[in-house]
Amino acid sequence: WFPAILSFVAATFAYIFFPEIAHKKHYVLVVVLTTYWAMTLINFWGIKISSLVSTIGVIIGTIIPGIFIIALGAMWFLSDRPDQIHLSWDAFFPKINNINNLVFLGGLFLAFAGLEVSAGYAGEVNNPQKNYPRAIILGAVITFILFMLGSLSIALVIPKNDISLVTGLIAAFKTFLHSYHLSWALPIMAFLLVIG
């Protein structure tokens, strides 16, 4: 999971300053290793600091950009702009005969990875029998909605064959923001995604 998500971080970070290096292997390797070890060191400071960093990252870097891209996708869809999605009953079910489709499915499953680790901290929750299951269900629902509607928003503007696991989200933001004359917000969104 870490190499995939940190590759996304490297490409997104590059889009802020130097888009031409987003796919350079050495650049991605340096960012992946640096970020991985930085996160490891943050965890040495204890669970409170780690929790604070995680909470800020989720809110600022996942939920806010997720809601924003969903809103942009909804505006795009409702404004009768051309879209890249061809909705049909046949297209509803993923084709698993292509390895590329399985990679994206793996990415979706990894969105829920780590949920089971939180069980070790259930005893620190007030009224864990009641509140812990609620928190897990709420977290899973929010994650599912953000990923599902966010993915649909990306698919609206990026052709199926051009969607990249590493740069698809930032490319969709670029298309949306350019179309709505908000290109100045792209570095802000990229920065928030890197924090996330």
Side-chain angles (χ1 to χ4, degrees), residues 70-125:
I70 291 167
L72 291 170
M75 289 175 13
W76 187 279
F77 183 75
L78 295 174
S79 67
D80 281 341
R81 292 178 182 257
D83 62 60
Q84 301 295 327
I85 297 178
H86 305 290
L87 298 175
S88 69
W89 183 251
D90 185 47
F92 182 75
F93 295 100
K95 307 290 184 271
I96 57 173
N97 59 350
N98 184 340
I99 191 71
N100 293 332
N101 295 340
L102 294 176
V103 169
F104 282 107
L105 186 60
L108 179 62
F109 289 147
L110 285 175
F112 295 97
L115 233 83
E116 72 284 353
V117 174
S118 65
Y121 302 103
E124 297 180 30
V125 175

Side-chain angles (χ1 to χ4, degrees), residues 105-151:
L105 186 60
L108 179 62
F109 289 147
L110 285 175
F112 295 97
L115 233 83
E116 72 284 353
V117 174
S118 65
Y121 302 103
E124 297 180 30
V125 175
N126 293 335
N127 193 4
Q129 291 81 7
K130 191 175 188 179
N131 291 333
Y132 181 73
R134 283 182 180 171
I136 291 296
I137 290 169
L138 181 62
V141 167
I142 289 170
T143 301
F144 181 77
I145 289 171
L146 283 175
F147 273 72
M148 185 60 64
L149 296 180
S151 296

